[in-house]
Each structure stands twice: as C-alpha cells, then as structure tokens.
Amino acid sequence: NAIKIRQPTVADKVPDYTSGDTIIAIIEVSSATSDGSRKIQFLTSDKTDNSVSIAYTDSNTYTEALSISASAGDTTIENKVSDKDIIFKGKDDSSTITALTLDMSAAGKALFNSGAAFAGNVDFADNAKIVVGGGDDLLIFHDGSNNYIQSKTGNLNITTDNGGEFAITAVNNGAVTLYHNGNSKLATTSTGINITGSAPGDSIIRQDSTSSGTNWEIGEREAGKWQIFEDDGDSIVATFMSTGNVGIG
C-alpha cells in the first residue's frame, strides 16, 4: 500500500459539490485490492464552512461516502450514499462490537446493541409509541388526551416479586383478574364478576365506614353459610344457607 498527499487533478473526477467549494488537498491510500484506492478529500468554501469528505474510487469513478462538515458552530456527519447506514464500532475487551447503527433506510432509526442509559427524560410526542417485541407486541403511548397500554400478543400481565407473583392479568376477549399475594381474588366474567375466598371464616367483601364507624363484611363464616355481619361487634345481620334457608340476626 502507498499513502500520498497531493493536489487534486481533473483525473480525480471529483463531482461538483457546492458553488464556491474548493478542494485544497487529497490524501490517497492506494491498494491492490479489487476495491480500488481510498481517498480523503478536504474541502473549504469560506472560513465558516469547512468539510472533510471520505470517498472511494472504483473503476476510476469517484464516489463520496461520508462528509463531516462544520458551519456556524454546528457539526454535521452525513452518509452520502443513499440508504446506507452509519455504524459505530469499538472494542469491548478484545472483541469488536457494533455499539450503534443508524438505519438510513428507516429514517435514521437508531439500533443499540446493548441497551441505553439516560440521565434525563426520554420525551415522546403525542401518538409516538414505545414498541416492544419482534412483532410490535406491546405498545405504550399518549394520544394527546389519554394514555394507553396495548397488548397485541398474548395476555397483559402486571407482576410483582421479580415476576414471581401476578398482581393483575388481562386476557384478550376474556377475564381481568385481580390478585392478592399471588392468589386470584376477583375476576370479571361475561355476566359479572367472580369473587374468590380462601377458606370458611374469611371475609369476601368488607366495607370500612369512615362516617358511622361501623364496618360491614360479607363472607362464609361457617362452611355452607354466607353471612352479612357487623365486624366490630361481630353481630350477624343475615345468614344464607346452602340448604336454601335464610336467617335474620
């Protein structure tokens, strides 16, 4: 390989960039490979607008691949080849890794290799979605008026204990179930709700009064008997038995 710095010539077949641009030097790396030689070209139009162009030649045709420019204090990095990505690579220990890919065929979509950490907010416009899953399976967004969590694949589960316990599950076209300590307590049905208690003696429904000071409960206090009672005084108001009988008091 050979490296040389020289003034450009007509043979370089440099395309016309912008009126006023002047090529001041070319650093050329010649290679025996089929890819041809590589060129780095320095351009300037005035003192406030400078750029560096990285290009390659193939069959004596000049193609600009990357431009780094500065104008009025702003710096621009631009891939000049249509639909080709900008890829950031580095060394992780001794392995080469692709840290970030900017997909130019998808409007510059950023693809991170190993996640991202932010010290500030991540701001989304109205109707811009957080999309999770290979098949766009979970969507989270705000439409300007309301907030949405949409499960497009499978159930929507809210868990605790590092995923070990369900708190809420929502089945597509099915039940929404509330859990306590991982145990189902209330589930919706096509006709209403199902309420689950663990054993006789447990209260299924409890109403804590902040005005009268009297707390009311409904539950299976004894096997086969549903009762309404005043909790504080343990006073039974009504008993509904599995035999069909009803007791008052």
Side-chain angles (χ1 to χ4, degrees), residues 64-131:
E64 186 182 19
L66 178 68
S67 173
I68 304 175
S69 62
S71 177
D74 296 326
T75 300
T76 301
I77 301 174
E78 181 181 358
N79 189 338
K80 292 288 191 176
V81 183
S82 179
D83 289 337
K84 294 301 181 180
D85 300 338
I86 296 177
I87 301 171
F88 294 85
K89 291 188 176 184
K91 289 288 186 180
D92 184 352
D93 197 2
S94 59
S95 301
T96 299
I97 56 99
T98 298
L100 170 63
T101 299
L102 302 180
D103 187 350
M104 294 303 143
S105 64
K109 182 177 182 180
L111 306 174
F112 293 91
N113 177 61
S114 187
F118 302 92
N121 296 334
V122 178
D123 297 323
F124 294 85
D126 290 345
N127 291 305
K129 298 175 176 63
I130 299 174
V131 182

